[in-house]
Amino acid sequence: FNFALWFLLAHFYFFPLLALANGADTHDTADTAPQNVPSVAVPTVVEETSVREGLVVNMNASPAPAFVDQPVQLDFFVNEKPGNVPVPFYELDVEHTKLMHVIGVRKDLNEFRHIHPEPSSENPAVFTITHTFDRYDSYTFWSEISRAGRPFTFKHPEIDVHPLTETDPNQKPPDKAISLARNVIVGDYQVALTAPQRISKGRTVDLTFDVHTLVGDGVVLDEYLGEQMHLVAIKEDLSQFIHAHPAAAHTHALNTLAPIAYAHGPTGDAPGYEPVDFHIAFPTTGFYKLFAQFRPIGKNLPAGETLTAAFWVKVEEGGLTPATGRLLLASVSLVLMALLSVGVYRYMYRAA
């Protein structure tokens, strides 16, 4: 009797609880998303200043120093090291309708930009764009290009933007605030993020975004740069950068946070509405801010502009994978069954 009681408690309570504590839930999104394989090929991010050989993009901002509310020209020189050999724009691939994508954030991650410099008329190896900074602080930019089918991402040195006057409070950036809320209001829309209860470092997770009106109607999204949505994830200390696009098929997580609750309750989804899924693997632990860009059909946004929903997620050390957790549970179950059998045999032998 004692062995049977121990077996039942261990098999149906203790060991499943231990597995869950280590991130091995049998309904983890890793069952629906391939392990360690994001929805798109993610190029290695390289510091611009570290490249000594091969393709690189060098950024230059002028005039320097930069000031708030003053236009700054950003030039991106595509070249080969050593020798700074120019690489003209016609040698690059068009990716998501553009030759170059540039992502920029303020140090506090409260300002996000996705811009597209164009080739200069004076130098075919230089892409240029004019940008105006709203607040003073440090800004970091990443440039993305592709050549011969190979994607490249370069992180550029920070740009320090100075205030026009030392006493203007409107130019001071707000304090960084980390919130793990899963519903945000963006203009006339509410966006919900569905994510696993636990996000483990190095393991692919399924992130799903739902866009609804404020009364709960599902919103159909227009294409932006060839996709329903673009997602950028940047670590709090700016050391990690991920730019992802939707997964080819929808594979919603089963083990997720609480169901989505809309401001006035869901009513009717527009024909063609569907959530947007991403498969992403976060390389290190810490807090990441997600920037989801989208264009609702019928919103009449200016060409090239989007709405951006921002969320924070926490990435923790990885526990057991679901497959490993199930294998462990099966192994322990077999051991306990063997012990139970031995106990029963001994009991019957003594009784005889």
Side-chain angles (χ1 to χ4, degrees):
F1 175 78
N2 290 335
F3 276 101
L5 180 61
W6 162 247
F7 170 73
L8 292 173
L9 287 174
H11 184 68
F12 293 105
Y13 178 75
F14 177 73
F15 287 105
L17 187 63
L18 177 63
L20 285 172
N22 284 277
D25 192 295
T26 56
H27 294 294
D28 195 284
T29 55
D31 284 339
T32 55
Q35 284 295 305
N36 302 319
V37 180
S39 56
V40 293
V42 178
T44 301
V45 179
V46 178
E47 297 271 357
E48 167 200 326
T49 54
S50 69
V51 178
R52 297 292 179 265
E53 184 176 353
L55 188 68
V56 68
V57 176
N58 295 118
M59 184 185 73
N60 179 67
S62 61
F67 288 90
V68 171
D69 294 332
Q70 301 297 307
V72 176
Q73 181 171 311
L74 302 178
D75 292 327
F76 298 86
F77 176 41
V78 186
N79 63 98
E80 290 268 6
K81 305 292 186 186
N84 299 332
V85 181
V87 176
F89 68 87
Y90 47 79
E91 291 189 14
L92 303 180
D93 305 327
V94 174
E95 288 290 334
H96 290 92
T97 76
K98 300 292 182 180
L99 289 169
M100 178 179 287
H101 297 260
V102 172
I103 305 295
V105 294
R106 198 169 61 223
K107 187 177 182 179
D108 60 9
L109 292 177
N110 286 323
E111 184 179 341
F112 170 86
R113 293 289 183 267
H114 182 171
I115 56 180
H116 303 98
E118 294 292 339
S120 167
S121 58
E122 300 176 359
N123 187 340
V126 174
F127 288 73
T128 186
I129 192 169
T130 300
H131 184 71
T132 301
F133 297 94
D134 297 331
R135 297 179 183 270
Y136 72 84
D137 205 342
S138 296
Y139 290 76
T140 298
F141 289 87
W142 293 262
S143 62
E144 300 176 304
I145 58 173
S146 177
R147 187 188 192 191
R150 180 184 174 189
F152 296 84
T153 300
F154 300 99
K155 182 181 180 182
H156 302 289
E158 290 182 344
I159 297 176
D160 290 325
V161 178
H162 302 271
L164 286 174
T165 65
E166 297 295 336
T167 58
D168 187 352
N170 296 322
Q171 296 176 357
K172 182 179 179 180
D175 295 331
K176 182 187 298 182
I178 296 178
S179 169
L180 297 179
R182 290 294 177 258
N183 290 271
V184 298
I185 303 297
V186 183
D188 298 327
Y189 304 90
Q190 50 186 331
V191 183
L193 166 64
T194 304
Q197 295 178 3
R198 178 189 176 96
I199 299 178
S200 297
K201 175 186 72 175
R203 289 182 52 197
T204 301
V205 295
D206 187 20
L207 304 178
T208 302
F209 295 86
D210 292 89
V211 182
H212 285 73
T213 65
L214 296 181
V215 295
D217 296 333
V219 175
V220 179
L221 302 181
D222 200 357
E223 278 198 356
Y224 170 59
L225 302 177
E227 299 285 357
Q228 279 186 302
M229 185 177 286
H230 284 248
L231 179 64
V232 174
I234 300 175
K235 192 175 178 181
E236 180 187 12
D237 62 2
L238 309 181
S239 64
Q240 299 293 335
F241 171 90
I242 301 170
H243 183 179
H245 305 110
H250 297 294
T251 52
H252 299 297
L254 296 177
N255 176 36
T256 57
L257 297 177
I260 302 165
Y262 298 105
H264 302 285
T267 53
D269 295 337
Y273 159 78
E274 58 182 357
V276 184
D277 288 339
F278 294 85
H279 299 326
I280 292 184
F282 296 91
T284 62
T285 61
F287 288 96
Y288 289 75
K289 194 165 189 179
L290 310 181
F291 301 92
Q293 293 184 278
F294 61 96
R295 287 176 59 91
I297 285 181
K299 179 61 176 175
N300 296 322
L301 292 171
E305 290 191 11
T306 67
L307 300 178
T308 302
F311 298 89
W312 285 94
V313 295
K314 183 181 181 181
V315 179
E316 304 177 78
E317 287 290 347
L320 299 176
T321 65
T324 303
R326 287 191 292 270
L327 180 60
L328 176 61
L329 287 175
S331 301
V332 171
S333 297
L334 289 175
V335 171
L336 291 174
M337 290 174 68
L339 292 174
L340 178 62
S341 299
V342 171
V344 171
Y345 173 78
R346 288 180 177 177
Y347 174 79
M348 294 180 66
Y349 177 80
R350 290 174 181 175

